[in-house]
Amino acid sequence: LVANPELVVKARQFRKYTSLNPGSRDQQWALAALERREHVLERTWRITEQGVQTATAWLADHSDDFDIVVPPAGGLFFPRLKRDTPTLDFCADLVHKTGVLLAPGSVCYESEGYLRLGVSTSDLDSGLDRLDSYLSETSRRRAAA
């Protein structure tokens, strides 16, 4: 953190209060998850595998707008946006108009032109539907201009 020294001290105190010393309720939830880890992991893998399949198919159907190298594992994709729009602007407009949150590669990884897309969510289908509508609408506006 680079900031006024007083703010740095307050931020460290806040971090210690919020994340270094979890409350007893947080510890109980963590223990419950650990005690049912097989169930938790099975559910997590199922959601991730379904998300990978869904996102891979969706991105293949949207190859005019995106390039993707599907990662060998994990729940994050990093597609390249083929539009002539800065990713920060694209993501800001997208979330404002649809509620869909993609992270711009320019901010996350200093990789302009790419987007961080999480696929391990039960809301993926809905988000991709809204993203599809957004892409269609912005394409129509660009064509009319």
Side-chain angles (χ1 to χ4, degrees):
L1 177 64
V2 177
N4 172 310
E6 292 175 11
L7 179 59
V8 171
V9 169
K10 287 182 180 182
R12 282 187 181 151
Q13 290 170 342
F14 184 76
R15 180 175 177 267
K16 288 178 183 175
Y17 178 75
T18 60
S19 61
L20 292 180
N21 301 313
S24 62
R25 178 64 63 191
D26 296 333
Q27 292 177 22
Q28 288 173 336
W29 290 333
L31 180 60
L34 287 171
E35 288 172 342
R36 300 202 60 212
R37 69 181 154 271
E38 290 83 14
H39 173 73
V40 171
L41 289 173
E42 183 276 325
R43 178 183 178 274
T44 301
W45 280 112
R46 181 175 31 82
I47 291 171
T48 300
E49 288 171 356
Q50 288 172 351
V52 166
Q53 291 172 6
T54 298
T56 299
W58 189 91
L59 287 162
D61 288 343
H62 292 80
S63 60
D64 288 346
D65 288 304
F66 301 101
D67 276 333
I68 184 68
V69 174
V70 177
L76 289 175
F77 280 24
F78 205 52
R80 183 176 71 83
L81 179 65
K82 291 181 169 180
R83 293 188 171 201
D84 221 7
T85 305
T87 55
L88 182 59
D89 296 345
F90 179 86
C91 292
D93 193 50
L94 175 67
V95 75
H96 175 73
K97 291 181 176 164
T98 68
V100 173
L101 179 62
L102 297 178
S106 59
V107 174
C108 295
Y109 305 108
E110 297 181 11
S111 297
E112 178 54 60
Y114 291 84
L115 304 165
R116 190 175 105 179
L117 167 65
V119 301
S120 297
T121 173
S122 56
D123 295 328
L124 182 62
D125 288 323
S126 171
L128 292 175
D129 287 345
R130 288 183 278 159
L131 176 55
D132 184 56
S133 295
Y134 174 83
L135 292 169
S136 297
E137 177 60 31
T138 56
S139 291
R140 279 193 292 276
R141 274 191 265 137
R142 285 190 339 206

